């Protein structure tokens, strides 16, 4: 390790090539020492643990999170006991039921858990997933009427429903009983339903607001087991072992980009262990078609499995993901996985075209790149990929981004937004709806969706820019790169990577370790297909470190790497490099600074 102290920013970097100051991730010195002594950790690893807010007496639980230690009482969720009672009553009465799911990974993994629990109890539940193009997000009066007309008496909504006031009012009117399992932000008004379980429901004392719907669904399974046990339903039959479905709960937590803290961290950590056995036929088939391998990690869930599962809801049939995760038929799983893999390839092409057009719009519109919010709209953009494009724009401009695809025939624009830490986009979109600027809208702090009349888009842009100006300004001031440790090119090896992996799983609330290398030189720079840049970094110690910067070719960062001019400070995340059995590492570059102009 090297000394990273500096007068102005870490390594003196107060403004990098992405416009950020570098900072040493802050940690309490006494807590660092106590972690070292109690857990036998190196100083950098103990510092990383302390900097993530782990108290001196919480290190062991953090490094080895267990469900036994962190599982919440299901009864602490408002309506959880009521939901379990209603569903067990329906099971005993053999009432016709349907699971109504959102079309993303969280919805699919939530639905699959409930379907699998009821299957273990001898009852097969159908899944209804609305079509993104023709039905839009979440429950609608039309969808509920269709379900009721088919003879269904009870619907369980997962990852949706908490804010579907019109649809839930319709359900009550037509005699369709509804149990809502959700995690999205909602208004103070509580819809009249059989039960509404949502840790983000006003007044819910569970303290589990960071959970994805898949996490809430897993707690529901525990409540169902408890209710069924209390009624003697397991006398003479085996009780469903919920641990076998932890992989689905982890998948939803990771792909919905939830805070990996507390119980949610334990759920994810244990779920990845279960996933690593690849016993779910759908997940195994998807891994095979993607040519993946090895024990499951956040990368598998977030970058191999998740995008393919989402592809069905984005540009294909919306129920493919839920069907894949809930099937026990290996042949069906293989067929569904192949279809999703092909759809994902098509999705990438559509996304690339829209992103290129969106960047051109931003660059040519006066002050767009400098505004608090990047908002772009165009006719014909596919609503299934605009959320991904919004994420790419947020990464590029480091501020909230909202992308709207306009359907002129229907006279409506469908928008999807992604936010920057410190800017609550969902709350702003909700305010725009209450202001009468939107047909529909909602979400959470980091993501939001909306529907708007095309002629209202300029007013919406003005409203959101005004609403978010102060938050965006404050977030920009705080937008620095936090460094965990300074390493040499030769010191960034598999041993260092393995040591810091003890902090995994990584995600919001537990950021992946960020390493900096100082005064390295770039060798063999190469622009790759897709705009990526690959280099080898060398320093005075004689070490060499392979590195890659994703989607960087047309940025200042990428141009600096390709130019190969002089020494650079480089920061990034270590990734395993097992090509041809070498068991090495490479650096995934996050940022670059020129030491000659770091101020």
């Amino acid at each position: 390790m090297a000394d990273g102290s500096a007068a102005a920013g870490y390594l003196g970097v107060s403004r990098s090539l992405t416009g950020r100051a570098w900072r040493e991730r802050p940690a309490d010195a006494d807590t660092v020492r106590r972690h070292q002594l109690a857990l036998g950790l190196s100083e950098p690893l103990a510092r990383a643990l302390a900097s993530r807010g782990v108290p001196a007496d919480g290190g062991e639980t953090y490094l080895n999170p267990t469900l036994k230690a962190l599982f919440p009482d299901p009864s602490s969720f408002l309506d959880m006991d009521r939901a379990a009672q209603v569903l067990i009553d329906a099971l005993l009465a053999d009432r016709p039921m349907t699971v109504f799911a959102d079309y993303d990974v969280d919805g699919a993994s939530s639905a699959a858990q409930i379907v699998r629990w009821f299957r273990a109890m001898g009852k097969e539940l159908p899944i209804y997933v609305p079509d993104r193009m023709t039905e839009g997000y979440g429950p609608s009066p039309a969808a509920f009427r269709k379900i009721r007309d088919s003879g269904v008496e009870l619907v369980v909504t997962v990852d949706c429903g908490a804010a579907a006031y019109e649809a839930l009012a319709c359900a009550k009117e037509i005699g369709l009983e509804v149990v809502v399992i959700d995690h999205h932000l909602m208004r103070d008004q509580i819809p009249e339903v059989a039960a509404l379980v949502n840790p983000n429901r006003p007044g819910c004392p569970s303290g589990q607001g960071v959970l994805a719907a898949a996490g809430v669904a897993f707690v529901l399974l525990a409540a169902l087991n408890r209710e069924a046990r209390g009624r003697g339903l397991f006398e003479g039959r085996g009780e469903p072992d919920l641990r076998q479905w932890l992989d689905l709960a982890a998948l939803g937590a990771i792909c919905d980009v939830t805070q990996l803290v507390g119980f949610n961290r334990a759920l994810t950590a244990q779920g990845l262990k279960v996933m690593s056995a690849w016993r779910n036929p759908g997940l195994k088939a998807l891994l095979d078609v993607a040519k993946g391998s090895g024990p499951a990690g956040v990368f598998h869930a977030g970058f191999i499995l998740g995008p393919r599962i989402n592809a069905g809801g984005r540009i294909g049939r919306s129920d493919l993901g839920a069907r894949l995760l809930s099937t026990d038929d290996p042949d069906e799983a293989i067929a569904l996985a192949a279809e999703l893999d092909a759809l994902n390839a098509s999705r990438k092409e559509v996304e690339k075209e829209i992103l290129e057009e969106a960047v051109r719009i931003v660059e040519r519109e006066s002050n767009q790149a400098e505004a608090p919010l990047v908002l772009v709209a165009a006719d014909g953009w596919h609503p299934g990929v605009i959320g991904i494009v919004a994420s790419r724009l947020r990464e590029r401009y480091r501020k909230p981004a909202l992308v709207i695809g306009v359907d002129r025939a229907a006279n409506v624009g469908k928008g999807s937004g992604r936010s920057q830490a410190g800017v609550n986009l969902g709350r702003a979109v909700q305010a725009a709806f209450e202001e009468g600027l939107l047909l529909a809208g909602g979400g959470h702090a980091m993501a939001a969706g909306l529907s708007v009349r095309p002629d209202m888009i300029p007013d919406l842009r003005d409203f959101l820019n005004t609403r978010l100006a102060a938050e965006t300004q404050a977030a920009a001031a705080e937008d620095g790169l936090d460094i965990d440790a300074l390493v040499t090119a030769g010191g960034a090896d598999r041993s260092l990577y393995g040591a810091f992996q003890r902090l995994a799983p990584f995600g919001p609330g537990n950021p992946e370790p960020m390493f900096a290398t100082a005064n390295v030189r770039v060798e063999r720079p190469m622009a790759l297909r897709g705009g990526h840049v690959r280099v080898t970094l060398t320093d005075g110690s004689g070490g060499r470190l392979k590195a890659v910067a994703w989607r960087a070719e047309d940025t200042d960062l990428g141009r600096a790497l390709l130019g190969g001019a002089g020494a650079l400070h480089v920061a990034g995340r270590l990734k395993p490099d097992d090509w041809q059995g070498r068991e090495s590492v490479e650096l995934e570059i996050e940022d670059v600074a020129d030491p000659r102009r770091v101020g």
Side-chain angles (χ1 to χ4, degrees):
M1 301 297 167
D3 182 9
S5 62
Y10 196 83
L11 291 176
V13 180
S14 59
R15 186 170 179 81
S16 69
L17 294 182
T18 65
R20 286 179 280 181
W22 289 10
R23 307 174 298 213
E24 182 177 51
R25 205 183 297 277
D28 176 70
D30 181 62
T31 303
V32 173
R33 286 192 296 270
R34 292 174 67 182
H35 281 322
Q36 285 183 266
L37 292 172
L39 303 170
L41 304 180
S42 66
E43 194 278 341
L45 186 55
R47 169 174 287 279
L49 189 64
S51 72
R52 282 153 178 79
V54 181
D57 60 354
E60 178 61 34
T61 298
Y62 195 86
L63 294 177
N64 300 290
T66 65
L67 293 177
K68 181 178 181 180
L70 296 166
F71 205 100
D73 180 358
S75 299
S76 67
F77 292 72
L78 286 178
D79 271 6
M80 183 69 84
D81 292 339
R82 174 62 181 158
Q85 292 165 5
V86 169
L87 294 176
I88 296 298
D89 285 345
L91 173 68
L92 293 173
D94 197 25
R95 296 177 67 195
M97 303 166 59
T98 287
V99 178
F100 189 109
D102 187 19
Y103 32 62
D104 68 359
V105 176
D106 193 22
S109 54
S110 301
Q113 289 180 71
I114 293 173
V115 166
R116 288 182 173 280
W117 189 90
F118 274 92
R119 182 181 295 154
M121 298 299 291
K123 186 175 181 64
E124 195 68 32
L125 299 188
I127 300 174
Y128 185 103
V129 184
D131 183 89
R132 184 191 292 262
M133 298 293 291
T134 60
E135 297 180 89
Y137 167 79
S140 65
F144 275 170
R145 288 193 181 95
K146 179 180 177 181
I147 291 170
R148 186 71 182 94
D149 290 345
S150 71
V152 169
E153 298 176 4
L154 174 61
V155 167
V156 183
T157 72
V158 289
D159 195 30
C160 59
Y165 295 96
E166 184 182 2
L168 296 176
C170 173
K172 181 181 179 183
E173 181 182 320
I174 62 178
L176 181 64
E177 196 168 17
V178 181
V179 171
V180 175
I181 307 298
D182 204 349
H183 72 126
H184 290 96
L185 299 177
M186 57 184 295
R187 297 188 289 242
D188 291 339
Q189 176 190 353
I190 307 302
E192 292 187 47
V193 292
L196 193 156
V197 183
N198 180 352
N200 288 307
R201 168 182 173 172
C204 182
S206 68
Q208 299 295 330
V210 302
L211 290 178
V216 183
F218 192 81
V219 178
L220 172 66
L221 301 191
L224 288 171
N225 264 8
R226 186 171 67 181
E227 181 70 16
R229 190 184 310 118
R231 299 202 201 185
L233 299 189
F234 299 137
E235 295 175 7
R237 68 180 302 165
E239 181 173 328
D241 184 353
L242 305 185
R243 292 174 296 180
Q244 64 185 306
W245 302 315
L246 277 166
D247 52 358
L248 296 171
L251 185 67
I254 293 167
C255 293
D256 227 48
V257 200
T258 59
Q259 294 277 320
L260 299 185
V261 297
F263 166 61
N264 200 37
R265 174 176 165 80
L267 195 69
T268 303
Q270 299 304 321
L272 287 172
K273 293 178 182 178
V274 173
M275 191 185 295
S276 294
W278 302 109
R279 293 194 184 95
N280 182 294
L283 293 179
K284 179 62 167 64
L286 208 53
L287 181 76
D288 290 344
V289 77
K291 297 180 173 55
S293 62
V298 169
F299 178 80
H300 290 83
F303 295 94
I304 296 178
L305 305 173
R308 288 169 170 82
I309 295 169
N310 271 334
R314 294 192 186 283
I315 62 172
R317 286 187 290 141
S318 57
D319 65 342
L320 292 177
R323 287 172 55 197
L324 177 82
L325 298 181
S326 58
T327 186
D328 286 322
D329 182 344
D331 291 335
E332 181 184 22
I334 290 170
L336 289 169
E339 186 173 357
L340 285 167
D341 187 59
L343 286 170
N344 190 53
S346 299
R347 185 270 304 168
K348 289 180 180 179
E349 291 301 315
V350 174
E351 174 199 331
K352 180 175 180 290
E353 293 173 3
I354 295 176
L355 177 59
E356 289 175 350
E357 185 179 357
V359 170
R360 286 195 296 269
I361 292 173
V362 173
E363 298 297 340
R364 74 168 180 254
E365 287 190 359
S366 176
N367 298 323
Q368 173 76 302
E370 287 73 41
L373 169 82
V374 173
L375 188 155
V376 286
D379 293 357
W381 282 351
H382 198 296
V385 301
I386 55 176
I388 305 176
V389 173
S391 293
R392 300 285 184 245
L393 294 177
R394 187 209 63 77
E395 292 169 7
R396 184 183 184 99
Y397 297 105
R398 303 203 61 77
K399 62 181 60 180
L402 180 62
V403 180
I404 300 174
V406 176
D407 182 342
R408 291 292 172 184
N411 191 35
V412 66
K414 295 292 183 66
S416 185
R418 298 294 183 269
S419 195
Q420 192 78 341
V423 183
N424 193 323
L425 183 60
R427 186 169 58 199
V429 166
Q430 181 65 43
F433 173 75
E434 293 169 356
E435 195 73 13
L437 297 172
L438 302 176
L439 300 172
H444 48 80
M446 298 301 290
L450 58 82
S451 297
V452 60
R453 292 295 180 206
D455 60 357
M456 295 299 292
I457 291 175
D459 293 334
L460 175 65
R461 175 188 278 115
D462 292 342
F463 177 87
L464 291 176
N465 275 326
T466 300
R467 172 93 184 188
L468 294 175
E471 285 184 53
T472 302
Q473 184 178 14
E478 290 295 316
D479 184 23
L481 187 67
D482 291 316
I483 308 294
D484 285 287
L486 184 66
V487 298
T488 62
D493 57 16
R494 195 58 174 250
S495 175
L496 178 68
Y497 167 79
F500 274 80
Q501 280 300 111
R502 295 186 64 185
L503 299 175
F506 302 116
N510 180 34
E512 193 168 354
M514 187 68 62
F515 299 96
T517 58
N519 296 307
V520 292
R521 293 190 176 273
V522 174
E523 293 185 356
R524 293 186 289 180
M526 182 186 307
L528 305 177
R529 183 180 177 185
H532 315 308
V533 177
R534 183 172 290 284
V535 299
T536 297
L537 304 176
T538 65
D539 61 17
S541 71
R544 303 171 66 83
L545 177 61
K546 291 171 58 179
V548 62
W550 304 116
R551 296 182 294 276
E553 184 180 5
D554 65 343
T555 67
D556 289 343
L557 184 155
R559 285 186 282 271
L561 293 172
L562 291 169
L568 298 171
H569 298 332
V570 179
R573 305 170 186 85
L574 289 178
K575 300 291 183 179
D577 178 13
D578 296 329
W579 177 249
Q580 296 182 331
R582 62 169 54 103
E583 292 192 353
S584 183
V585 294
E586 72 173 11
L587 188 73
E588 191 175 86
I589 296 173
E590 170 69 21
D591 205 358
V592 171
D594 187 335
R596 294 164 296 184
R597 47 190 182 92
V598 293

Coordinates of all heavy atoms in Angstrom, one line a residue, residues 282 285-292 303-312 315 320-321 324 333-349:
G282 N -34.6 -22.6 -14.5 CA -34.6 -21.5 -15.3 C -33.3 -20.7 -15.3 O -32.7 -20.3 -16.3
A285 N -30.6 -22.8 -17.0 CA -30.7 -22.7 -18.5 C -30.2 -21.3 -19.0 O -29.5 -21.2 -20.0 CB -32.1 -22.9 -18.9
L286 N -30.5 -20.3 -18.3 CA -30.1 -18.9 -18.7 C -28.6 -18.8 -18.6 O -28.0 -18.2 -19.4 CB -30.8 -17.9 -17.8 CG -31.1 -16.5 -18.4 CD1 -31.8 -16.6 -19.7 CD2 -31.9 -15.7 -17.5
L287 N -28.0 -19.3 -17.5 CA -26.6 -19.3 -17.3 C -25.9 -20.0 -18.5 O -24.9 -19.5 -19.1 CB -26.2 -19.9 -16.0 CG -24.7 -19.9 -15.7 CD1 -24.2 -18.5 -15.3 CD2 -24.3 -21.0 -14.6
D288 N -26.4 -21.2 -18.9 CA -25.8 -22.0 -19.9 C -25.9 -21.3 -21.3 O -24.9 -21.2 -22.0 CB -26.5 -23.3 -20.0 CG -26.2 -24.3 -18.8 OD1 -25.2 -23.9 -18.1 OD2 -26.9 -25.2 -18.6
V289 N -27.1 -20.7 -21.6 CA -27.2 -20.0 -22.9 C -26.3 -18.8 -23.0 O -25.9 -18.4 -24.1 CB -28.7 -19.7 -23.2 CG1 -29.1 -18.5 -22.4 CG2 -28.9 -19.5 -24.7
A290 N -26.0 -18.2 -21.8 CA -25.2 -17.0 -21.8 C -23.7 -17.4 -21.7 O -22.8 -16.5 -21.6 CB -25.5 -16.1 -20.6
K291 N -23.4 -18.7 -21.6 CA -22.1 -19.2 -21.5 C -21.4 -18.7 -20.2 O -20.2 -18.4 -20.2 CB -21.2 -18.9 -22.7 CG -21.8 -19.5 -24.0 CD -21.0 -19.2 -25.2 CE -21.4 -20.0 -26.5 NZ -22.8 -19.8 -26.8
G292 N -22.2 -18.6 -19.2 CA -21.6 -18.2 -17.9 C -21.2 -19.5 -17.1 O -21.5 -20.6 -17.5
F303 N -25.7 -8.7 -14.3 CA -25.2 -8.5 -15.7 C -25.4 -9.7 -16.6 O -25.3 -9.5 -17.9 CB -23.8 -8.0 -15.6 CG -23.6 -6.7 -14.9 CD1 -23.2 -6.7 -13.6 CD2 -23.7 -5.5 -15.6 CE1 -23.1 -5.5 -12.9 CE2 -23.6 -4.3 -15.0 CZ -23.2 -4.3 -13.6
I304 N -25.6 -10.9 -16.1 CA -25.8 -12.0 -17.0 C -27.3 -12.4 -17.0 O -27.9 -12.5 -18.0 CB -24.9 -13.2 -16.6 CG1 -23.4 -12.9 -16.7 CG2 -25.3 -14.4 -17.4 CD1 -22.5 -14.0 -16.3
L305 N -27.8 -12.7 -15.8 CA -29.2 -13.2 -15.7 C -30.2 -12.1 -15.8 O -31.2 -12.2 -16.6 CB -29.4 -13.9 -14.4 CG -28.4 -15.0 -14.1 CD1 -28.6 -15.5 -12.6 CD2 -28.6 -16.2 -15.1
G306 N -30.0 -11.0 -15.1 CA -31.0 -9.9 -15.0 C -31.4 -9.3 -16.3 O -32.6 -9.2 -16.7
P307 N -30.4 -8.9 -17.2 CA -30.8 -8.3 -18.5 C -31.5 -9.2 -19.4 O -32.4 -8.8 -20.1 CB -29.4 -7.9 -19.1 CG -28.5 -7.7 -17.9 CD -29.0 -8.7 -16.9
R308 N -31.2 -10.5 -19.3 CA -32.0 -11.4 -20.2 C -33.4 -11.7 -19.7 O -34.3 -11.7 -20.5 CB -31.2 -12.8 -20.2 CG -29.9 -12.6 -21.1 CD -29.0 -13.8 -20.9 NE -27.9 -13.7 -21.9 CZ -26.8 -13.0 -21.8 NH1 -26.6 -12.3 -20.7 NH2 -25.9 -13.0 -22.7
I309 N -33.5 -11.7 -18.4 CA -34.9 -11.9 -17.8 C -35.7 -10.7 -18.1 O -36.9 -10.7 -18.5 CB -34.9 -12.1 -16.3 CG1 -34.2 -13.5 -16.0 CG2 -36.2 -12.1 -15.7 CD1 -33.8 -13.7 -14.5
N310 N -35.1 -9.5 -18.0 CA -35.8 -8.2 -18.3 C -36.2 -8.1 -19.8 O -37.1 -7.4 -20.2 CB -34.9 -7.0 -17.9 CG -35.2 -6.6 -16.5 OD1 -36.2 -6.8 -15.9 ND2 -34.2 -6.0 -15.9
A311 N -35.4 -8.8 -20.7 CA -35.6 -8.6 -22.1 C -37.0 -8.9 -22.6 O -37.6 -8.3 -23.5 CB -34.6 -9.4 -22.9
G312 N -37.6 -9.9 -21.9 CA -39.0 -10.3 -22.3 C -40.0 -9.2 -22.0 O -40.8 -8.9 -22.9
I315 N -38.9 -6.0 -24.8 CA -39.2 -6.0 -26.2 C -39.8 -7.3 -26.7 O -39.9 -7.5 -27.9 CB -37.9 -5.7 -27.1 CG1 -36.8 -6.8 -26.8 CG2 -37.3 -4.4 -26.7 CD1 -35.7 -6.7 -27.8
L320 N -42.4 -13.9 -20.0 CA -41.3 -14.9 -20.2 C -40.4 -15.1 -18.9 O -40.1 -16.2 -18.5 CB -40.5 -14.5 -21.4 CG -41.1 -14.6 -22.7 CD1 -40.1 -14.1 -23.8 CD2 -41.6 -16.0 -23.0
G321 N -40.1 -14.0 -18.3 CA -39.2 -14.0 -17.1 C -39.8 -14.8 -16.0 O -39.2 -15.6 -15.3
L324 N -40.0 -18.4 -16.7 CA -38.7 -19.1 -16.6 C -38.3 -19.4 -15.2 O -37.9 -20.5 -14.9 CB -37.6 -18.2 -17.2 CG -36.2 -18.7 -17.2 CD1 -35.9 -19.6 -18.3 CD2 -35.2 -17.5 -17.2
A333 N -37.5 -24.7 -19.6 CA -36.6 -23.7 -19.2 C -35.5 -23.4 -20.3 O -35.2 -22.2 -20.6 CB -35.9 -24.2 -17.9
I334 N -35.1 -24.4 -21.0 CA -34.1 -24.2 -22.1 C -34.7 -23.4 -23.2 O -34.1 -22.5 -23.7 CB -33.6 -25.6 -22.6 CG1 -32.8 -26.3 -21.5 CG2 -32.8 -25.5 -23.9 CD1 -32.4 -27.7 -21.8
A335 N -35.9 -23.7 -23.6 CA -36.6 -23.0 -24.6 C -36.8 -21.5 -24.3 O -36.6 -20.6 -25.1 CB -37.9 -23.7 -25.0
L336 N -37.3 -21.3 -23.1 CA -37.5 -19.9 -22.6 C -36.2 -19.1 -22.5 O -36.1 -18.0 -22.9 CB -38.2 -19.9 -21.3 CG -39.7 -20.4 -21.2 CD1 -40.1 -20.6 -19.8 CD2 -40.5 -19.3 -21.9
A337 N -35.1 -19.8 -22.0 CA -33.8 -19.1 -21.9 C -33.3 -18.7 -23.3 O -32.7 -17.6 -23.4 CB -32.9 -20.0 -21.2
A338 N -33.5 -19.6 -24.3 CA -33.0 -19.3 -25.6 C -33.7 -18.1 -26.2 O -33.2 -17.2 -26.8 CB -33.2 -20.5 -26.5
E339 N -35.1 -18.1 -26.0 CA -35.9 -16.9 -26.5 C -35.4 -15.6 -25.8 O -35.3 -14.6 -26.4 CB -37.3 -17.2 -26.2 CG -38.3 -16.2 -26.8 CD -39.7 -16.6 -26.7 OE1 -40.1 -17.7 -26.2 OE2 -40.6 -15.8 -27.2
L340 N -35.2 -15.7 -24.5 CA -34.8 -14.5 -23.8 C -33.4 -14.0 -24.2 O -33.2 -12.8 -24.3 CB -34.9 -14.7 -22.3 CG -36.3 -14.8 -21.6 CD1 -36.2 -15.3 -20.2 CD2 -36.9 -13.4 -21.6
D341 N -32.5 -14.9 -24.4 CA -31.2 -14.6 -24.9 C -31.2 -13.9 -26.2 O -30.5 -12.8 -26.4 CB -30.3 -15.8 -24.9 CG -28.9 -15.5 -25.2 OD1 -28.2 -14.8 -24.4 OD2 -28.3 -15.9 -26.3
A342 N -32.1 -14.3 -27.1 CA -32.2 -13.7 -28.4 C -32.8 -12.3 -28.3 O -32.4 -11.4 -29.0 CB -33.0 -14.6 -29.4
L343 N -33.8 -12.2 -27.4 CA -34.5 -10.9 -27.2 C -33.5 -9.9 -26.6 O -33.5 -8.7 -27.0 CB -35.7 -11.1 -26.3 CG -36.9 -11.7 -26.9 CD1 -37.9 -12.0 -25.8 CD2 -37.5 -10.8 -28.0
N344 N -32.6 -10.4 -25.8 CA -31.6 -9.5 -25.1 C -30.6 -9.0 -26.2 O -30.2 -7.8 -26.1 CB -30.8 -10.2 -24.0 CG -30.0 -9.3 -23.2 OD1 -30.5 -8.3 -22.7 ND2 -28.7 -9.6 -23.1
A345 N -30.3 -9.8 -27.1 CA -29.4 -9.3 -28.2 C -30.1 -8.2 -29.0 O -29.4 -7.2 -29.4 CB -29.0 -10.5 -29.1
S346 N -31.3 -8.4 -29.3 CA -32.1 -7.4 -30.1 C -32.2 -6.1 -29.2 O -32.1 -5.0 -29.8 CB -33.5 -7.9 -30.4 OG -33.4 -9.1 -31.2
R347 N -32.4 -6.3 -27.9 CA -32.6 -5.1 -27.0 C -31.3 -4.3 -27.1 O -31.4 -3.0 -27.1 CB -32.8 -5.6 -25.6 CG -33.1 -4.6 -24.6 CD -31.8 -4.1 -23.9 NE -31.1 -5.1 -23.3 CZ -29.8 -5.0 -22.8 NH1 -29.2 -3.8 -22.9 NH2 -29.2 -6.0 -22.3
K348 N -30.1 -4.9 -27.1 CA -28.9 -4.2 -27.1 C -28.8 -3.3 -28.4 O -28.3 -2.1 -28.3 CB -27.7 -5.1 -27.1 CG -27.5 -5.8 -25.8 CD -26.3 -6.8 -25.8 CE -26.1 -7.5 -24.5 NZ -24.9 -8.4 -24.6
E349 N -29.2 -3.8 -29.5 CA -29.2 -3.0 -30.7 C -30.1 -1.8 -30.7 O -29.8 -0.7 -31.1 CB -29.5 -3.9 -31.9 CG -28.5 -5.0 -32.3 CD -27.1 -4.3 -32.5 OE1 -27.0 -3.4 -33.3 OE2 -26.1 -4.8 -32.0

